[in-house]
Amino acid sequence: MTESFRGVEFDREAIVAKNAQEREKRFRADGNTQYVHLDEHSEWMTDPHTPRADREAVTRDVDVVILGAGFGAMLSAARLREAGVGDILLIDKGGDFGGTWYWNRYPGVACDVESYTYLPLLEETGYMPSEKYAHGDEIYAYSRLIARRFGLYQRALLQTLVEAFRWDDAISRWRVETDREDAITAKFIVVCPGHYRSPKLPGIPGVDDYAGRAFHTSRWDYAYTGGDSNGNLDKLADKVVGIIGTGATAVQVVPHLGKAAKEVFVFQRTPSTVDVRNDHPTDEVWFNTLEPGWQKRRMENFNRIAWGQPQDEDLVNDSWTRTNFEHVCRARGLSAEEMAELRSRNDFAVMEQIRRRVDEEIHDPAVADTMKPWYERVCKRPCFHDEFLSTFNRPNVHLVDTDGRGVDRITEKGVLVGDTEYPVDLLVYATGFDPTPYLGFPVPVYGRDGLSLGTHWKEGARTMHGIHVHHFPNMFIASTTQSAWASNFPHMLTEQAEHIAYTVKELIDRNVNVAEVTEQAEAEWVAHHEELAAFLVEFWGQCTPSHLNNEGHITVKMMRDGSYGGGVDGITEVFRNWREEGSLSGLQLQKAAESIST
Ligand code: NDP
């Protein structure tokens, strides 16, 4: 039966059936094990941006070691410095600040959350982004600006891989082991693992047999392609290029390959949603009218609209927010069930419009048909691009749809799908990132009595607030595990950084030597997390498989490792109430040369 919502007609039953059918095609029994998880030392991981420089091993004892030099780490460091905790050391394997924006410099790299909401600390730095959607080179440059502004370069060990953290009870300190043979101890560690840090490859036969040039998008080789992150890949003019994947990264890369290469084959397993982007330069006059506190208000407004919660204004006003705001967030006086139904009808209408856009943009109806996404919009990362779809009208660009199966194997010459071999000169893997390290942990960590975090979390993560872990004193985590997931990650990281800095400062001021969350407080948070996660489990269960839902394998461990059901607003309130209560509740505190108290 056809129904209509805000003028868009759709057949709900038929769509639900089609979504389920496409999900079924894509589902694989091997789940995450279908991928090759790359070792830190493998050639695929070599840093193409900064040649490795030799340095002397360092011996240091500091108040705080921060793992990472991306936004999470920089925010934590900035807030710690503001709180007066200056004895900090950031350690990152990258050659500079930026985290994901250090590594990902592929052509077209940009952020599709608007820059005024995405780039953290804009009020503190006074920086005005040049466009509504910042390109990767600007975000990377801005990362370095933050590092300079907060004096982080002199507090960082870059090109340094942390190989393990070990708690040493005898000295009440963490020992930090690196690949540079440093001897570093720290009273506290703050782990900012980053979300998309470990590139993954499909675990199909032949990857090592391929004789041409191949790399992952997060290690782009401009020496081979020419050009830079803004495109102009002039060395590809006589090259045939294959790219595996059509996720958020590929959507940004493909238009540049289409413009530059002799021929391009795009291997698709699941189409992305590709909505309107409509980028434009920043209006300086408008930017200068923003009142103090504007960025926090904007982050909150974006987040609430993205979640379809009541809001009186749409500050961001783009394709992420507009329809939600107009047709969901302005509704008043509805029950929770009625709001859920409104969100659902809006989603059917949005997806129908996104599929219609494919028909409008792509001339060949057969190609258009295979590029239509069939799932609820946020089952996969929504994409926004104004050139991706029309790139498939170019005579040199070919879509190779694998009907949900994926490519079959890599040969010496190229890619095999079914019985057809596609020989290519360059093979680009836009195949995403391994979710395991961030749901688990980026480096081995050994707490009291040598207990490894992997063992403690074998049946799923156990934390208080996603930050503290029993058996692992003086350790703080800033990740999505049992903490908030946000479409705008820096929003979540901003809240976590403020909270972690407050706690570290309080522990120092209160002369606390060792702080460890109690088993009971940890268990209470896990129970609360599980209760709130129920609706997320239901949602992810009906989604097409992807890295966001453990490849469609919905397990208790996945739910425990996953994000907090209360969202950023919920976790922010938990943090705020905990700070206001003031007793550092749930933490067992051991003061220097004193007995244990709670
Ligand atoms: P994704 O995991 O989103 O996409 C990987 C792609 O590779 C998918 O299309 C996947 O298909 C495909 N793939 C994997 N294995 C095979 C195979 N055997 N055969 C064919 N295709 C295969 O990774 P991305 O790098 O695109 O994005 C990762 C994340 O980075 C995003 O979720 C987003 O959060 C972030 N990002 C953000 C941007 C921004 O603007 N803020 C821009 C770019 C990335 P399938 O979908 O079927 O699994």
Side-chain angles (χ1 to χ4, degrees):
M1 195 185 75
T2 304
E3 55 188 289
S4 171
F5 183 70
R6 55 178 175 78
V8 182
E9 295 199 338
F10 56 88
D11 180 339
R12 186 190 294 236
E13 257 178 54
I15 292 173
V16 169
K18 174 79 172 159
N19 287 358
Q21 187 192 351
E22 291 296 316
R23 179 185 186 283
E24 207 49 43
K25 272 197 237 165
R26 168 64 180 78
F27 183 82
R28 295 170 53 130
D30 55 359
N32 262 320
T33 59
Q34 71 182 277
Y35 300 107
V36 170
H37 308 288
L38 293 168
D39 182 84
E40 287 290 355
H41 302 283
S42 99
E43 272 187 27
W44 292 93
M45 300 287 272
T46 304
D47 183 347
H49 311 305
T50 318
R52 188 172 165 93
D54 288 335
R55 71 160 172 80
E56 296 290 314
V58 301
T59 301
R60 293 276 302 273
D61 178 58
V62 293
D63 280 343
V64 188
V65 157
I66 300 177
L67 177 74
F71 280 158
M74 287 190 281
L75 278 159
S76 296
R79 295 297 181 228
L80 280 165
R81 292 219 62 207
E82 283 170 354
V85 182
D87 188 20
I88 61 179
L89 184 65
L90 298 97
I91 310 181
D92 194 291
K93 67 179 178 178
D96 210 327
F97 283 83
T100 198
W101 300 102
Y102 172 81
W103 294 104
N104 286 280
R105 303 196 206 174
Y106 56 80
V109 59
C111 185
D112 48 31
V113 172
E114 65 144 27
S115 55
Y116 323 119
T117 300
Y118 182 81
L119 293 178
L121 300 166
L122 285 180
E123 289 191 65
E124 287 84 343
T125 59
Y127 180 78
M128 184 186 81
S130 66
E131 289 172 282
K132 186 163 174 81
Y133 304 99
H135 284 77
D137 53 357
E138 181 170 0
I139 304 176
Y140 173 47
Y142 181 65
S143 304
R144 287 177 286 156
L145 184 152
I146 295 175
R148 287 194 300 275
R149 189 64 57 88
F150 287 91
L152 304 185
Y153 276 101
Q154 54 271 41
R155 293 176 169 82
L157 286 180
L158 299 170
Q159 291 194 318
T160 303
L161 186 68
V162 173
E163 293 192 317
F165 289 113
R166 284 180 206 277
W167 175 254
D168 187 336
D169 245 336
I171 56 171
S172 299
R173 287 246 178 323
W174 285 97
R175 292 190 182 278
V176 185
E177 297 170 9
T178 73
D179 64 348
R180 302 283 195 160
E181 295 177 13
D182 304 311
I184 298 168
T185 49
K187 185 164 180 180
F188 303 104
I189 55 171
V190 177
V191 183
C192 305
H195 222 73
Y196 297 114
R197 59 179 293 280
S198 300
K200 69 177 194 258
L201 301 180
I204 47 179
V207 171
D208 293 330
D209 301 338
Y210 177 61
R213 182 76 182 102
F215 50 76
H216 186 272
T217 44
S218 67
R219 301 289 187 277
W220 197 273
D221 180 2
Y222 285 106
Y224 182 89
T225 65
D228 57 27
S229 67
N230 292 309
N232 309 312
L233 311 172
D234 56 328
K235 293 187 183 169
L236 294 183
D238 60 348
K239 299 281 190 294
V240 179
V241 181
I243 176 166
I244 301 179
T246 48
T249 297
V251 164
Q252 297 181 333
V253 173
V254 166
H256 292 284
L257 293 179
K259 272 181 219 158
K262 185 170 130 199
E263 252 187 312
V264 184
F265 291 92
V266 181
F267 299 94
Q268 171 180 272
R269 187 164 66 177
T270 311
S272 283
T273 60
V274 187
D275 209 338
V276 173
R277 186 171 185 80
N278 192 19
D279 197 6
H280 50 79
T282 301
D283 175 348
E284 196 173 342
V285 175
W286 162 78
F287 193 79
N288 289 329
T289 62
L290 294 168
E291 301 276 341
W294 68 267
Q295 197 181 25
K296 189 170 169 55
R297 285 196 293 279
R298 208 170 174 94
M299 283 184 174
E300 289 173 352
N301 179 259
F302 174 80
N303 175 61
R304 286 174 192 154
I305 295 177
W307 276 61
Q309 291 166 356
Q311 281 295 282
D312 292 329
E313 57 183 341
D314 178 7
L315 295 172
V316 171
N317 189 22
D318 70 1
S319 297
W320 275 104
T321 62
R322 202 170 295 119
T323 44
N324 260 17
F325 176 67
E326 287 293 331
H327 302 285
V328 179
C329 305
R330 292 207 299 191
R332 295 292 179 272
L334 300 185
S335 67
E337 288 75 23
E338 287 166 335
M339 276 305 277
E341 171 60 11
L342 195 58
R343 281 188 211 109
S344 168
R345 296 184 74 201
N346 188 47
D347 192 76
F348 278 109
V350 167
M351 288 302 290
E352 203 56 23
Q353 286 172 313
I354 283 171
R355 286 189 286 267
R356 282 181 201 169
R357 187 175 188 233
V358 180
D359 281 330
E360 286 158 15
E361 295 274 326
I362 297 181
H363 301 156
D364 182 335
V367 175
D369 217 39
T370 50
M371 291 190 70
K372 288 179 188 162
W374 294 101
Y375 41 81
E376 282 192 36
R377 190 194 200 189
V378 292
C379 281
K380 289 177 78 71
R381 177 57 140 80
C383 301
F384 306 87
H385 210 287
D386 297 332
E387 290 172 49
F388 173 73
L389 293 170
S390 59
T391 295
F392 291 87
N393 297 328
R394 299 182 73 105
N396 65 326
V397 177
H398 317 284
L399 180 78
V400 183
D401 182 54
T402 64
D403 200 24
R405 289 190 333 270
V407 303
D408 291 301
R409 66 174 299 142
I410 309 297
T411 65
E412 199 185 326
K413 291 191 189 144
V415 180
L416 195 74
V417 177
D419 295 333
T420 310
E421 185 183 46
Y422 298 86
V424 294
D425 300 304
L426 166 65
L427 184 53
V428 177
Y429 289 93
T431 44
F433 300 85
D434 184 356
T436 325
Y438 68 79
L439 295 181
F441 226 63
V443 296
V445 185
Y446 303 93
R448 284 194 195 279
D449 305 318
L451 177 70
S452 87
L453 193 70
T455 304
H456 186 54
W457 282 7
K458 206 156 121 254
E459 308 299 330
R462 307 187 56 74
T463 76
M464 182 177 83
H465 304 163
I467 289 185
H468 309 274
V469 185
H470 185 55
H471 300 296
F472 296 80
N474 292 11
M475 178 177 85
F476 302 82
I477 306 169
S479 81
T480 58
T481 295
Q482 297 192 1
S483 193
W485 176 282
S487 302
N488 178 29
F489 271 14
H491 181 184
M492 165 196 94
L493 296 169
T494 299
E495 298 297 342
Q496 288 169 332
E498 181 182 343
H499 190 67
I500 290 171
Y502 162 87
T503 312
V504 169
K505 174 78 163 93
E506 285 297 309
L507 293 173
I508 291 173
D509 286 355
R510 297 181 196 197
N511 198 26
V512 172
N513 216 20
V514 181
E516 180 184 354
V517 64
T518 63
E519 193 169 5
Q520 186 190 341
E522 185 182 80
E524 282 170 8
W525 181 257
V526 173
H528 172 61
H529 170 79
E530 287 183 10
E531 201 182 322
L532 289 197
F535 86 94
L536 288 176
V537 169
E538 195 183 325
F539 170 75
W540 288 120
Q542 53 82 44
C543 280
T544 191
S546 78
H547 70 275
L548 295 178
N549 70 347
N550 196 31
E551 294 293 324
H553 292 256
I554 310 301
T555 62
V556 171
K557 175 164 166 41
M558 168 208 160
M559 185 258 289
R560 287 190 185 137
D561 290 347
S563 61
Y564 180 61
V568 191
D569 272 353
I571 201 88
T572 303
E573 198 183 337
V574 168
F575 289 164
R576 195 172 39 239
N577 291 342
W578 188 86
R579 295 196 297 262
E580 281 172 11
E581 193 270 335
S583 72
L584 307 181
S585 123
L587 297 184
Q588 188 171 45
L589 309 174
Q590 185 181 336
K591 296 200 173 186
E594 276 186 25
S595 57
I596 289 176
S597 68
T598 36

Short mmCIF file of all heavy atoms in Angstrom, two decimals, residues 46 183 217 219 397 558:
data_model
loop_
_atom_site.label_atom_id
_atom_site.label_comp_id
_atom_site.label_asym_id
_atom_site.label_seq_id
_atom_site.Cartn_x
_atom_site.Cartn_y
_atom_site.Cartn_z
N THR A 46 53.11 1.45 5.94
CA THR A 46 54.21 2.42 5.89
C THR A 46 53.66 3.84 5.71
O THR A 46 52.76 4.09 4.92
CB THR A 46 55.15 2.09 4.70
OG1 THR A 46 55.58 0.74 4.87
CG2 THR A 46 56.36 3.01 4.67
N ALA A 183 62.24 4.77 27.98
CA ALA A 183 61.91 4.34 29.35
C ALA A 183 60.99 5.41 29.92
O ALA A 183 61.45 6.40 30.48
CB ALA A 183 63.17 4.19 30.17
N THR A 217 43.46 3.52 0.87
CA THR A 217 43.23 4.97 0.75
C THR A 217 43.91 5.79 1.85
O THR A 217 44.25 6.96 1.62
CB THR A 217 41.71 5.28 0.78
OG1 THR A 217 41.10 4.50 1.82
CG2 THR A 217 41.06 4.96 -0.56
N ARG A 219 46.79 5.44 2.91
CA ARG A 219 48.24 5.52 2.67
C ARG A 219 48.46 5.91 1.20
O ARG A 219 49.21 5.27 0.48
CB ARG A 219 48.93 4.17 2.96
CG ARG A 219 48.76 3.64 4.38
CD ARG A 219 49.56 4.45 5.40
NE ARG A 219 49.55 3.87 6.72
CZ ARG A 219 48.59 4.02 7.63
NH1 ARG A 219 47.51 4.73 7.33
NH2 ARG A 219 48.69 3.48 8.83
N VAL A 397 34.47 5.64 -16.88
CA VAL A 397 34.20 5.14 -15.52
C VAL A 397 33.14 4.03 -15.57
O VAL A 397 32.06 4.22 -16.13
CB VAL A 397 33.73 6.29 -14.60
CG1 VAL A 397 33.39 5.76 -13.21
CG2 VAL A 397 34.80 7.37 -14.51
N MET A 558 29.17 -7.52 21.25
CA MET A 558 29.07 -6.33 20.40
C MET A 558 28.31 -5.21 21.12
O MET A 558 28.70 -4.05 21.08
CB MET A 558 28.34 -6.69 19.10
CG MET A 558 27.92 -5.50 18.29
SD MET A 558 26.45 -5.85 17.30
CE MET A 558 25.88 -4.20 16.98
#
